[in-house]
Amino acid sequence: MFEHTNVFNGNIQSNGDSKNSASFKHLSPLKERLNGFLQPQSCNYCMESTTFGYNNTNQSFMIEPTQRVLVAGATGYLGRFLVQELKNRGYWVRVLIRKEAQQSLFTDVDEFVIGQITQPDSIRGICDTTNYVISTVGITRQKDGLTYMDVDYLGNANLLAEAKQSQVKHFMYVSAINGDKLRHLKIFEAKERFVDELKASGIDYTIVRPNGFFSDMQDFLSMAKKGTVYLFGDGHYQLNPIHGEDLAHACINALETGEHEVLVGGPQILSQKELAAMALKAWNKPIKIRHLPDWTRRLSIWLLRNFTSSKIYGPYEFFLSAMAIDNVAPLHGRHRLNDYFDEVVKQS
């Protein structure tokens, strides 16, 4: 049973104890009780966020509570698409942000919570009154003194603890393709440790393993802008990266059908060589691809692991390892990478 909560003046007030310390802010709280027709009722939903149906005779109100979702990691590339997809489907959405200025990234959010997922006290009560939690929280580069274990594992574990406390119905976590097969990599060691904990939590769950995002492919565009793209080996390994909008659609479909583990890729399967040529074409550059022997990739990983800290080598280890395997997932979506490249070049 969720606690009934009323939100006023940006603070959460509860009929339970005072444990809830997250800072809740509404975009559009109900300013008044509509001439006294509606009196506060005990229910499992925030009255200020309930959807109301009002007839023209001023004689009755119909309260229509909606499915409520908390999105953590909403300010990232995928997160913003997830929020929009949820709103398009009629969900009530609460978003975790780190600072108030990040509200400007969104136009249609029901409630903001300011907190740090790595600081448990700052997210206390964050899952109260929600049915679903979606987390895309993770870091590519370790910085600000935070490691993969701090964020990808412990941060998400803090959120899971809150979800269990609030009896959340379903928890979705977005990891990455082949994470379960590459647990020896620093970035996946943390992600998969959380996956294990989520599966053992007793909460219904969905693990989403997407292929690379379109935004990740800008590394190829950056090389192509200079006129040459460098690949390890002959460039025959394949991948099918996915646009954030298409991935968000697949994620919410999986949430609604209750799938436990989902692999998601974009609609085009490309070899690394084809992807490099596409990036060069976007800049109207001649096709100039340099193939480096694979031993240089392996040597680079060895040197990074032995002579730098995990803070430095983590993202390079991931990138260099991913370049030596196929990363192909079931095809989803409609956005094509060449169109995305053209748009990025046009806006640059």
Side-chain angles (χ1 to χ4, degrees), residues 176-178 181 207-211 261-265 328-330 332:
I177 190 172
N178 288 324
K181 301 178 181 66
I207 310 299
V208 181
R209 299 189 183 280
N211 214 322
E261 198 140 352
V262 185
L263 278 169
V264 186
V328 178
H332 290 267

Side-chain angles (χ1 to χ4, degrees), residues 101-319:
Q102 291 176 320
Q103 291 184 26
S104 63
L105 297 172
F106 306 93
T107 59
D108 191 19
V109 166
D110 297 282
E111 190 173 83
F112 290 101
V113 183
I114 300 174
Q116 297 279 357
I117 198 170
T118 55
Q119 299 172 10
D121 287 345
S122 76
I123 60 168
R124 202 67 55 81
I126 193 174
C127 297
D128 287 356
T129 76
T130 58
N131 308 99
Y132 305 99
V133 172
I134 301 176
S135 176
T136 69
V137 171
I139 55 175
T140 302
R141 299 184 185 278
Q142 301 176 100
K143 58 184 180 180
D144 300 328
L146 296 172
T147 66
Y148 296 127
M149 277 297 173
D150 292 331
V151 179
D152 294 61
Y153 170 62
L154 288 174
N156 281 298
N158 292 337
L159 187 61
L160 178 59
E162 288 296 323
K164 292 171 67 175
Q165 178 68 29
S166 300
Q167 301 180 44
V168 164
K169 177 181 177 182
H170 197 108
F171 194 115
M172 170 175 281
Y173 175 62
V174 181
S175 181
I177 190 172
N178 288 324
D180 50 340
K181 301 178 181 66
L182 299 172
R183 297 175 72 113
H184 61 284
L185 303 183
K186 278 294 178 183
I187 191 169
F188 285 128
E189 178 187 14
K191 289 181 183 294
E192 291 306 309
R193 184 172 174 182
F194 176 70
V195 167
D196 292 342
E197 190 160 319
L198 176 56
K199 288 181 176 180
S201 68
I203 292 181
D204 199 11
Y205 67 87
T206 298
I207 310 299
V208 181
R209 299 189 183 280
N211 214 322
F213 300 161
F214 275 15
S215 57
D216 298 328
M217 301 302 110
Q218 291 194 42
D219 289 338
F220 285 91
L221 268 185
S222 297
M223 284 192 286
K225 186 176 182 179
K226 298 175 183 178
T228 304
V229 175
Y230 295 89
L231 298 175
F232 294 103
D234 61 11
H236 73 276
Y237 289 112
Q238 295 181 313
L239 66 164
N240 58 324
I242 187 166
H243 191 281
E245 184 178 84
D246 292 334
L247 178 53
H249 186 268
C251 284
I252 307 309
N253 282 349
L255 186 73
E256 293 178 344
T257 57
E259 295 178 74
H260 278 163
E261 198 140 352
V262 185
L263 278 169
V264 186
Q268 295 171 282
I269 298 177
L270 304 166
S271 69
Q272 294 171 7
K273 190 172 181 179
E274 289 171 326
L275 198 158
M278 185 182 292
L280 288 161
K281 183 178 179 181
W283 290 108
N284 290 316
K285 301 281 188 180
I287 306 302
K288 187 177 179 182
I289 301 171
R290 292 283 177 86
H291 295 271
L292 304 175
D294 191 62
W295 66 261
T296 60
R297 180 191 64 83
R298 298 193 303 272
L299 177 62
S300 297
I301 293 176
W302 185 86
L303 290 171
L304 287 164
R305 284 177 176 169
N306 285 277
F307 295 101
T308 68
S309 68
S310 63
K311 179 179 179 180
I312 295 174
Y313 79 69
Y316 294 105
E317 176 191 53
F318 165 63
F319 174 76

